[in-house]
Amino acid sequence: MLQYKLANGGNMKYFYSKRLLNQVAKYDFITGYEIKDDKIIVNYANKARHEELKFSPSTLKLIEVQMRNQVLSSMSDAAINEYRKYIKSANWWMIYNLWFIFYSSFNAANGNYPFSRALQSILCLGFISMLGRNIKDKEDYKEYINEIEKYRFFIENEDTINYEIVKRYFESDANSPDISGAPLITINDIDDMTLTELKETVELIRKNYSDELDGDISLNLKQKSTK
């Protein structure tokens, strides 16, 4: 059986648009949940907020639906395009900073007056600091895009990813009325997985069960669970 490295309680990264009021968005953005005893502990991007709800399958389903909606709305193609614009802007500013680092360091080394050399040295340090910030921003935006694509891929292939789990669940108990008891991989569980790992998982399952699956899964597991 395939092995998965699951997250402990979920830790979805907080993605946002600069057009939004970030604190308001953080207040409603679910980063994950934990199940302890008869409670569901819901965590939000706003660290000051968390909820403890009485456990029920319907409540858990509502939480997961909201987490999916975060991906399908807040993490839309428009958001990805926005992040790509930020990356282009960061690239431009990196070139700008590199030029002025060279210019100010040259003047600091070859200036005729001590005050001028000191001023150029300070400017050089400032541009180095700005360069570091732009590099970090670029890497953050790239990570945001990768995470958005990862969660979207999971949503689009959730049935495939869980196919082997559900298949074995039914094989162990042919009278199982539904899949609520199966240890399914959910959107709360994939924080430690990469997009590459998810794609490899889907490819492996499709390869192992090619006679049972078509492009979209010929045997819909949710339909099977109601039979």
Side-chain angles (χ1 to χ4, degrees):
M1 185 174 180
L2 295 174
Q3 298 296 316
Y4 300 87
K5 181 173 66 174
L6 303 185
N8 180 20
N11 188 29
M12 182 184 287
K13 290 180 175 62
Y14 170 55
F15 309 95
Y16 66 94
S17 167
K18 288 186 175 180
R19 294 189 297 267
L20 299 177
L21 296 174
N22 296 340
Q23 291 304 317
V24 174
K26 281 186 176 181
Y27 190 80
D28 296 319
F29 190 100
I30 297 177
T31 58
Y33 63 82
E34 301 174 71
I35 299 175
K36 290 186 177 180
D37 300 324
D38 62 341
K39 300 288 187 182
I40 305 174
I41 301 173
V42 185
N43 299 313
Y44 293 84
N46 185 325
K47 300 297 184 182
R49 182 188 183 195
H50 76 280
E51 291 182 310
E52 292 189 6
L53 306 174
K54 184 174 178 60
F55 176 85
S56 72
S58 59
T59 301
L60 188 61
K61 181 62 65 177
L62 287 174
I63 294 169
E64 291 176 353
V65 167
Q66 184 170 338
M67 292 178 72
R68 286 188 181 90
N69 289 338
Q70 292 171 173
V71 178
L72 299 175
S73 58
S74 299
M75 305 176 190
S76 63
D77 287 333
I80 292 177
N81 291 333
E82 187 173 6
Y83 287 128
R84 285 175 177 156
K85 290 179 181 178
Y86 296 158
I87 290 174
K88 289 180 181 179
S89 177
N91 286 334
W92 189 91
W93 282 108
M94 286 166 61
I95 294 172
Y96 175 88
N97 289 325
L98 283 170
W99 164 249
F100 278 98
I101 288 171
F102 170 78
Y103 180 79
S104 56
S105 62
F106 178 84
N107 288 337
N110 298 282
N112 295 323
Y113 304 100
F115 175 80
S116 176
R117 290 199 298 271
L119 178 60
Q120 293 296 328
S121 296
I122 293 172
L123 290 173
C124 182
L125 291 174
F127 285 119
I128 290 173
S129 176
M130 291 172 63
L131 176 65
R133 176 58 184 271
N134 286 319
I135 291 174
K136 183 181 184 303
D137 285 347
K138 177 181 177 179
E139 292 305 311
D140 285 346
Y141 295 139
K142 287 172 64 177
E143 184 178 8
Y144 293 164
I145 291 173
N146 288 337
E147 289 294 293
I148 290 170
E149 292 179 342
K150 178 181 79 173
Y151 282 103
R152 289 177 63 181
F153 182 83
F154 173 80
I155 291 172
E156 293 168 356
N157 295 276
E158 187 171 1
D159 281 349
T160 303
I161 290 169
N162 282 296
Y163 184 82
E164 184 176 24
I165 294 173
V166 177
K167 179 180 175 65
R168 290 178 180 273
Y169 178 74
F170 275 96
E171 288 175 349
S172 66
D173 184 358
N175 296 319
S176 298
D178 56 48
I179 61 174
S180 61
L184 300 179
I185 309 301
T186 73
I187 196 170
N188 191 57
D189 299 319
I190 64 170
D191 307 311
D192 294 331
M193 297 183 71
T194 66
L195 177 60
T196 299
E197 289 172 333
L198 281 176
K199 287 183 176 180
E200 289 175 348
T201 297
V202 170
E203 182 180 356
L204 182 59
I205 291 173
R206 289 195 178 280
K207 179 179 179 181
N208 290 344
Y209 300 99
S210 59
D211 57 332
E212 301 175 26
L213 305 174
D214 60 19
D216 299 315
I217 298 185
S218 58
L219 175 59
N220 187 296
L221 297 175
K222 289 186 175 64
Q223 290 180 352
K224 181 176 180 179
S225 70
T226 63
K227 294 181 179 180

